[in-house]
Amino acid sequence: MMDDYEEEIRADSPRRIERKPLIDSRRNPQDRLYFVFLIFAFLGLASLLPWNFFITAKKYFDYKLRNTSLPSNVSYDDPDSETQDQVTFESYLSIVSNGFNMLFSFITVLIVRTVSVKTRIISSSVFILAVFIATTVLVKMNTDSWQDSFLVLTLVTAALMSGAQSVLTSSVLGLSAIFPPIYSQSAMNGQAAGGTFSAVVSILTHWTGGDAITSAFIYFLIAIVATVLAIVAYIALHFLNFAKHHMDIQAKDIQNVHTEYSGLGDQHKSRSSFYWSIFKKIWLYCLSLTIVFLVTLSIFPSVCSLVKAQDDSNKIWDEYFVLIVCFLLFNIGDFLGRLFTFVCKFPGNHRPVFLLVLTILRIGFIPLLMLCNAQPRYHLPVIFDQDFYPIIFILTMGLSNGYLGTLCMSFGPIHAGENEAEVAGIMLAIAMTLGLALGSFLSILMVKLI
């Protein structure tokens, strides 16, 4: 009979057990005071927070790449006075970041059995820390006389940081997958909290009248502190009995896998067989996860940030409309959607096809938001001409993004074997990265179609 602490989940793969955070003390250590649960939430937050702040500092990069010969009464971000570097910077940033993100996601899954998760998390965190220290130093430097070199240097650091962040994020999600599924939910919620936090900081710095340089310095300084604390939090895992218990089990399972597949003769074939056997069990969740983030990134923030307030007579509402409705509201919805998975898991882990259908239905958000008051527009009419339309659409899109994405991330490893959970988690992280990359490239087309 099923007891109060565990629920057996039958699948084609070896049976997995879904446990609540507090484990029966008669058999396993407890997650006392939910320390491990909270650590994974913070690791999820810290894994994406640096990049969130990097892209939030758009005005800073516009300032660094401005036309330095403009008269004092013309703003550096005036659309009529933008330089070519200002116009193309975000496109270049999207290409290099998504390219290196995908590359290092695949590298991570290939080295998961040869490079320990400890090495991957610590080394990638230290690298991100070094990049942000260098980036923070550049904030205070006068780069007006070498703008082209600054642009190249920024894109190179962004590419390398994206690669390191990909290794860190995949490793954190992979590590959380060897714990009960609720810990994957915790890491995913942490990521959403990071987006919400960066949006709030952006609004506060704008409200206090901080200039581009000061705001960027604050963003990057927070990212540095968060990364240092994340390293400390990860190290703390190794001193908590609950975490050590699950990581020790995983280490033994990895050794068993090496022993099992070493007898197959051809090492390349044995490794391919191992990865393929896992992918066959979770491919529906990978596909669903890719679609979730492809749909979201195809219109957020590209199309959503173009939506203007219909009533421009209220100067304050008009000034803060994009910051609040586009960035803050989406991130709050995303965060709440991920939180909701703790109380509701519909349609359940036994109906992956139904979950896939729900993710496909989200494609409807694309035309809905494109028909809002996004400006400038050249092809499509404005159908939803009231401010409450984008508010409802963006909030609902954020809720569904967080809810469905977290379900995919937590259900997938359940269908893999105990010794396959970490690789399953990393494969799902790759699927998420693929959706982000495809959505980013598709967003260029969506903007041109408006």
Side-chain angles (χ1 to χ4, degrees):
M1 180 179 295
M2 190 180 303
D3 61 30
D4 293 336
Y5 294 94
E6 56 186 40
E7 175 188 351
E8 292 189 345
I9 300 168
R10 292 176 172 81
D12 295 334
S13 59
R15 201 160 35 178
R16 296 287 311 279
I17 304 296
E18 180 172 0
R19 299 182 180 92
K20 295 181 179 180
L22 294 182
I23 308 300
D24 191 343
S25 60
R26 293 170 297 180
R27 288 164 292 180
N28 297 314
Q30 294 185 8
D31 184 7
R32 297 186 181 279
L33 301 179
Y34 292 83
F35 277 150
V36 176
F37 180 83
L38 294 174
I39 284 175
F40 273 111
F42 186 75
L43 289 176
L45 181 149
S47 67
L48 288 185
L49 190 64
W51 183 252
N52 285 333
F53 275 128
F54 194 83
I55 60 177
T56 299
K58 180 181 183 300
K59 285 189 175 296
Y60 159 73
F61 292 113
D62 281 344
Y63 176 80
K64 286 287 190 177
L65 301 172
R66 74 194 186 285
N67 181 352
T68 56
S69 62
L70 286 175
S72 58
N73 62 338
V74 179
S75 175
Y76 64 88
D77 57 355
D78 185 340
D80 296 328
S81 305
E82 286 184 320
T83 65
Q84 187 61 29
D85 286 344
Q86 287 177 307
V87 172
T88 58
F89 175 73
E90 285 190 305
S91 298
Y92 289 147
L93 183 64
S94 177
I95 292 171
V96 299
S97 62
N98 283 303
F100 274 74
N101 210 335
M102 281 300 303
L103 174 62
F104 277 84
S105 291
F106 284 110
I107 291 175
T108 303
V109 77
L110 294 176
I111 65 174
V112 66
R113 295 301 183 188
T114 54
V115 180
S116 70
V117 66
K118 183 176 183 179
T119 300
R120 283 181 271 125
I121 289 179
I122 295 294
S123 60
S124 58
S125 297
V126 170
F127 188 85
I128 291 173
L129 180 62
V131 168
F132 261 91
I133 290 174
T135 303
T136 305
V137 171
L138 281 174
V139 172
K140 295 298 185 179
M141 293 179 62
N142 186 338
T143 58
D144 290 351
S145 61
W146 45 286
Q147 286 182 324
D148 290 340
S149 299
F150 173 80
L151 174 61
V152 173
L153 181 60
T154 300
L155 293 176
V156 170
T157 55
L160 295 176
M161 184 173 62
S162 294
Q165 180 215 295
S166 178
V167 174
L168 177 60
T169 304
S170 300
S171 299
V172 168
L173 293 176
L175 179 63
S176 68
I178 74 175
F179 290 77
I182 198 169
Y183 290 84
S184 292
Q185 293 172 248
S186 178
M188 292 288 285
N189 272 278
Q191 291 182 347
T196 304
F197 179 68
S198 61
V200 170
V201 173
S202 175
I203 292 174
L204 289 177
T205 54
H206 184 80
W207 176 62
T208 55
D211 60 83
I213 297 296
T214 303
S215 297
F217 186 78
I218 293 172
Y219 297 158
F220 299 157
L221 195 60
I222 293 175
I224 290 173
V225 173
T227 304
V228 171
L229 292 177
I231 296 173
V232 174
Y234 172 72
I235 294 174
L237 279 180
H238 296 78
F239 294 92
L240 299 172
N241 290 333
F242 178 78
K244 288 194 295 183
H245 169 76
H246 285 278
M247 289 189 286
D248 287 345
I249 291 176
Q250 178 71 357
K252 293 176 182 177
D253 287 337
I254 291 174
Q255 183 60 43
N256 292 336
V257 170
H258 286 162
T259 302
E260 175 185 349
Y261 281 90
S262 62
L264 296 179
D266 191 319
Q267 185 177 2
H268 176 72
K269 289 183 178 179
S270 66
R271 179 179 293 181
S272 300
S273 300
F274 175 66
Y275 290 136
W276 178 244
S277 67
I278 298 174
F279 182 74
K280 287 192 297 183
K281 298 170 186 175
I282 65 171
W283 73 272
L284 278 173
Y285 294 108
C286 289
L287 179 59
S288 297
L289 202 58
T290 298
I291 293 174
V292 166
F293 287 95
L294 184 153
V295 170
T296 298
L297 266 291
S298 65
I299 48 177
F300 176 85
S302 57
V303 174
C304 295
S305 62
L306 296 177
V307 177
K308 307 298 182 184
Q310 193 70 32
D311 180 15
D312 56 6
S313 60
N314 188 328
K315 297 301 182 183
I316 296 179
W317 175 240
D318 186 52
E319 182 180 356
Y320 285 89
F321 184 83
V322 173
L323 288 174
I324 294 176
V325 175
C326 175
F327 294 101
L328 182 60
L329 203 60
F330 173 83
N331 282 294
I332 289 176
D334 186 37
F335 181 57
L336 292 177
R338 299 185 192 211
L339 279 181
F340 192 59
T341 60
F342 289 110
V343 295
C344 177
K345 291 180 172 60
F346 177 83
N349 69 81
H350 57 290
R351 291 189 285 184
V353 175
F354 192 8
L355 185 62
L356 176 61
V357 171
L358 292 178
T359 64
I360 293 174
L361 290 177
R362 292 185 75 250
I363 295 175
F365 285 116
I366 297 178
L368 288 176
L369 282 159
M370 291 178 68
L371 294 173
C372 288
N373 187 35
Q375 299 294 337
R377 60 195 309 117
Y378 304 100
H379 305 292
L380 298 177
V382 175
I383 302 297
F384 305 107
D385 57 357
Q386 298 297 320
D387 289 347
F388 68 84
Y389 285 118
I391 290 175
I392 294 173
F393 296 156
I394 291 175
L395 179 60
T396 308
M397 183 176 68
L399 285 166
S400 60
N401 181 84
Y403 181 73
L404 296 176
T406 303
L407 287 185
C408 293
M409 199 69 214
S410 57
F411 286 165
I414 294 175
H415 291 270
E418 291 285 352
N419 60 346
E420 302 167 337
E422 184 185 3
V423 176
I426 294 177
M427 285 184 173
L428 288 161
I430 291 176
M432 181 171 65
T433 302
L434 179 61
L436 293 171
L438 294 176
S440 296
F441 287 117
L442 188 61
S443 67
I444 300 174
L445 175 63
M446 296 299 104
V447 170
K448 291 183 177 180
L449 289 176
I450 296 177

